[in-house]
């Protein structure tokens, strides 16, 4: 039997060696090595800090393993950095870990550090842009638009906020409109890193429409400036609408100058400035205030049919040039006008 085994042993040994060689080549053909860039997933930072979009977005690695594993799992690999290594400004940090790799893959880092820029979130006011199209029917006029809120306060990384500007909506058609109306629009989608303060989700646009020559004795007065009562001398009050429109009726003829001098609109400005904490009390958030319309004795017989808008939003700010010893209130709560009155309000009257 041994004789049969060793018979022509050179050929048999060559066949075994050739089979081993083919097996090794086959196994080697299943191993794949490739270099790829995997995305970096940054942690959420506390407070007002955020990772800038100018930070490194990918990280280079070498992946080794069975071909099927490499091709399949490469798409799930992610690089991570630790939040504890990040500080405001530019950071050069090592990877904390690489996720998404099974035990059968060998991952080699092709770079030592990651550039991470950490920014402090800032705020920005975005104004609302309202446009109209078409014309009202003859003898009709509009007041407004009255937009609530008139601005949107957002916060986020400075680099992202730079790209944000006025918020625009489709033009509002005035064609064939003979009655007042209200339109609501949802806010546009902002980048994920931008937050809208006060949890505002939509904008309300009010347009008041009146017949300029409807019933005898009716008058529409446009452009009455709003005054601020009892405003702290260290503060400024920013109104969502600087003026109001008033619809009134009188049984007797009125002169334009009589109405202009006899009507005034105001709101109570109750916030105060604390010189010790250097803060606005109770807070610096916008507040709503009801419009108070005052008539002079000469207009006693005049009936007020409507005030538009009937309330506004007030945003308080500290005066840049406030008295350094500040914090004191206005003398005896005297009325301070934050808007210069229009010396020539527009008066629409019956002829």
């Amino acid at each position: 039997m041994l004789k049969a085994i060793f018979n022509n042993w050179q050929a048999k040994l060559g066949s075994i060696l050739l089979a081993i060689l083919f097996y090794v080549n086959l196994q080697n053909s299943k191993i794949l090595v490739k270099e790829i860039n995997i995305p970096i997933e940054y942690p959420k930072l506390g407070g007002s800090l955020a990772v800038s979009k100018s930070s490194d977005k990918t990280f280079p690695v070498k992946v080794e393993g069975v071909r099927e594993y490499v091709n399949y799992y490469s798409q799930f690999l992610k690089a991570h950095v630790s939040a504890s290594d990040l500080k405001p400004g530019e950071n050069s940090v090592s990877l904390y870990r690489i996720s998404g790799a099974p035990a059968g893959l060998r991952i080699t880092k092709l770079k030592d550090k990651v550039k991470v820029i950490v920014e402090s979130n800032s705020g920005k006011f975005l104004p609302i842009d309202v446009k109209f199209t078409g014309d009202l029917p003859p003898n009709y006029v509009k007041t407004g638009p009255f937009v609530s809120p008139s601005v949107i306060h957002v916060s986020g990384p400075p680099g992202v906020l730079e790209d944000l500007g006025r918020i625009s909506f489709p033009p509002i058609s005035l064609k064939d409109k003979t009655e007042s109306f209200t339109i609501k629009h949802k806010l546009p989608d902002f980048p994920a890193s931008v937050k809208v303060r006060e949890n505002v989700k939509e904008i309300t646009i009010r347009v008041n429409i009146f017949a300029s020559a409807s019933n005898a004795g009716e008058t529409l007065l446009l452009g009455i400036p709003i005054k601020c009562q009892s405003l702290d001398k260290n503060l400024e009050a920013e109104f969502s609408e600087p003026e109001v429109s008033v619809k009134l009726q009188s049984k007797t003829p009125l002169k334009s100058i009589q109405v202009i001098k006899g009507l005034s609109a105001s709101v109570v400005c109750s916030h105060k400035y604390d010189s010790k904490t250097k803060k606005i009390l109770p807070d610096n958030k916008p507040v709503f205030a009801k419009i108070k319309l005052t008539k002079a004795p000469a207009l006693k017989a005049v009936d007020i049919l409507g005030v538009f808008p009937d309330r506004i939003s007030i945003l308080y700010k500290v005066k840049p040039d406030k008295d350094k010893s500040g914090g004191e209130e206005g003398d005896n709560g005297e009325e301070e006008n934050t808007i210069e009155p229009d010396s020539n309000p527009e008066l629409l009257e019956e002829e």
Side-chain angles (χ1 to χ4, degrees):
M1 184 174 180
L2 290 175
K3 184 177 180 181
I5 293 176
F6 287 102
N7 186 31
N8 200 17
W9 65 270
Q10 295 92 342
K12 293 179 179 179
L13 179 60
S15 299
I16 293 173
L17 293 176
L18 186 60
I20 293 173
L21 181 61
F22 276 119
Y23 177 79
V24 171
N25 287 336
L26 179 62
Q27 294 302 313
N28 286 338
S29 66
K30 293 183 178 181
I31 301 299
L32 178 64
V33 179
K34 70 175 183 179
E35 296 180 1
I36 59 174
N37 290 309
I38 62 176
I40 302 174
E41 189 169 279
Y42 290 107
K44 292 184 178 180
L45 304 179
S48 61
L49 300 180
V51 176
S52 169
K53 61 181 181 180
S54 57
S55 302
D56 287 345
K57 297 177 176 58
T58 59
F59 188 85
V61 296
K62 182 171 68 174
V63 185
E64 300 178 68
V66 177
R67 180 181 297 275
E68 289 78 7
Y69 267 41
V70 171
N71 290 332
Y72 180 74
Y73 286 103
S74 291
Q75 60 185 321
F76 302 114
L77 298 179
K78 290 183 179 180
H80 302 265
V81 298
S82 175
S84 61
D85 294 335
L86 301 179
K87 297 176 178 59
E90 184 171 327
N91 301 264
S92 181
V93 298
S94 301
L95 283 189
Y96 170 62
R97 66 187 179 95
I98 295 177
S99 64
L105 286 187
R106 180 181 178 184
I107 310 296
T108 304
K109 301 174 186 177
L110 299 180
K111 187 178 174 182
D112 294 330
K113 300 289 183 178
V114 177
K115 184 185 76 171
V116 187
I117 298 176
V118 177
E119 298 177 325
S120 179
N121 283 343
S122 59
K124 185 176 183 179
F125 288 96
L126 306 179
I128 308 299
D129 192 11
V130 179
K131 296 181 179 179
F132 294 95
T133 181
D135 298 319
L136 291 171
N139 298 325
Y140 281 87
V141 296
K142 73 171 179 68
T143 59
F146 304 108
V147 185
S148 178
S150 60
V151 294
I152 298 299
H153 192 190
V154 296
S155 60
V160 178
L161 294 186
E162 288 178 1
D163 298 331
L164 301 181
R166 304 180 69 88
I167 300 177
S168 300
F169 298 106
I172 299 174
S173 175
L174 297 177
K175 186 178 180 181
D176 299 328
K177 291 289 193 304
T178 58
E179 295 181 352
S180 302
F181 60 92
T182 300
I183 295 177
K184 293 187 176 182
H185 286 291
K186 290 185 177 180
L187 289 180
D189 293 330
F190 294 109
S193 58
V194 175
K195 304 300 179 184
V196 179
R197 298 188 180 180
E198 309 301 326
N199 199 30
V200 177
K201 298 183 182 296
E202 64 180 14
I203 299 295
T204 300
I205 303 172
R206 175 71 178 174
V207 181
N208 295 318
I209 297 178
F210 306 101
S212 59
S214 54
N215 299 321
E218 286 191 5
T219 301
L220 179 63
L221 181 64
L222 309 179
I224 299 179
I226 304 172
K227 298 180 181 180
C228 206
Q229 293 182 352
S230 305
L231 179 64
D232 188 313
K233 69 176 184 179
N234 295 306
L235 298 178
E236 295 177 344
E238 181 179 296
F239 297 156
S240 58
E241 298 295 335
E243 57 189 32
V244 296
S245 303
V246 179
K247 189 175 185 180
L248 49 86
Q249 186 176 42
S250 176
K251 296 179 181 178
T252 59
L254 293 173
K255 295 182 179 180
S256 299
I257 190 65
Q258 183 182 4
V259 179
I260 292 171
K261 290 185 175 182
L263 287 180
S264 61
S266 62
V267 290
V268 177
C269 299
S270 57
H271 282 42
K272 303 299 178 184
Y273 177 75
D274 189 333
S275 59
K276 294 181 179 179
T277 61
K278 297 183 179 180
K279 292 184 179 180
I280 300 174
L281 301 179
D283 54 47
N284 61 348
K285 296 180 180 179
V287 294
F288 283 98
K290 188 172 180 62
I291 299 293
K292 179 182 178 182
L293 194 68
T294 304
K295 295 189 298 181
L299 299 180
K300 184 178 180 180
V302 174
D303 294 325
I304 303 300
L305 303 181
V307 180
F308 311 97
D310 62 350
R311 62 184 59 211
I312 61 171
S313 173
I314 307 176
L315 179 64
Y316 294 93
K317 298 179 180 180
V318 179
K319 285 185 177 179
D321 56 347
K322 76 173 188 63
D323 187 355
K324 293 183 179 180
S325 63
E328 300 177 4
E329 299 178 6
D331 295 339
N332 301 321
E334 288 184 357
E335 183 178 292
E336 180 177 342
N337 189 5
T338 59
I339 306 292
E340 287 296 327
D342 185 352
S343 59
N344 295 298
E346 181 181 355
L347 185 66
L348 301 175
E349 297 181 300
E350 285 284 348
E351 297 180 356

